[in-house]
Amino acid sequence: MLMDVLVERRVPIFGIGKIHDIYNGRGVERYVNDQNNTDGMEKLLATLTEQKTGLVFANLVDFDMLYGHRKDVEGFAKSLEEFDILLAPLLRAMTPRDLLMITADMVRSRSRLANDGPFARIRAHRDV
């Protein structure tokens, strides 16, 4: 597992949201809980400016808990629009050495509202 490799190499891992719970604390050196996607993004931005090395791993639970499992397409779309706004300051704060990976574990088609399974679509972006 990636986090085990990072621990072996003494790379600090900071979790935001449910990360500590999801991985049962495995490899997570420090963590904070969040209240919602906005709070998670604010904590992610603050951590990015405070922690200069390591992995900062965030889980934005609203996408999953409030919209994905409930098949709330309109709520999910609104939440994505809010995320887009919150993403801009994060991108501006990133340095050329930073890497941002955004993944989704539940991808829902608007037309059929079906779960395409874990990691159905993964996109990685590097801000340079």
Side-chain angles (χ1 to χ4, degrees):
M1 183 162 86
L2 171 64
M3 297 200 325
D4 293 336
V5 172
L6 295 177
V7 168
E8 286 174 16
R9 295 181 182 191
R10 300 180 194 267
V11 175
I13 300 171
F14 185 82
I16 298 171
K18 292 175 32 177
I19 295 301
H20 186 266
D21 296 335
I22 291 169
Y23 292 96
N24 197 29
R26 184 174 171 180
V28 180
E29 186 176 307
R30 296 181 317 124
Y31 69 96
V32 294
N33 292 316
D34 61 359
Q35 300 300 312
N36 52 44
N37 285 358
T38 300
D39 186 42
M41 288 297 289
E42 289 169 357
K43 288 178 176 171
L44 180 57
L45 180 58
T47 303
L48 182 65
T49 59
E50 295 166 8
Q51 183 168 323
K52 299 301 180 192
T53 63
L55 173 67
V56 179
F57 200 172
N59 175 270
L60 302 178
V61 69
D62 289 357
F63 289 123
D64 187 47
M65 185 181 74
L66 295 181
Y67 309 113
H69 287 292
R70 291 181 172 82
K71 299 181 182 179
D72 180 354
V73 175
E74 290 80 18
F76 196 93
K78 183 175 185 260
S79 190
L80 279 174
E81 290 171 354
E82 292 167 357
F83 173 75
D84 283 346
I85 293 167
L86 295 168
L87 186 59
L90 182 71
L91 293 174
R92 284 192 297 272
M94 292 177 67
T95 70
R97 293 183 48 122
D98 293 330
L99 174 65
L100 173 63
M101 292 188 287
I102 301 172
T103 67
D105 71 343
M106 294 188 125
V107 179
R108 305 232 179 239
S109 165
R110 279 192 264 204
S111 60
R112 58 189 172 100
L113 295 173
N115 182 353
D116 293 331
F119 311 108
R121 296 183 183 111
I122 297 177
R123 297 180 181 176
H125 298 276
R126 182 171 177 146
D127 187 54
V128 289

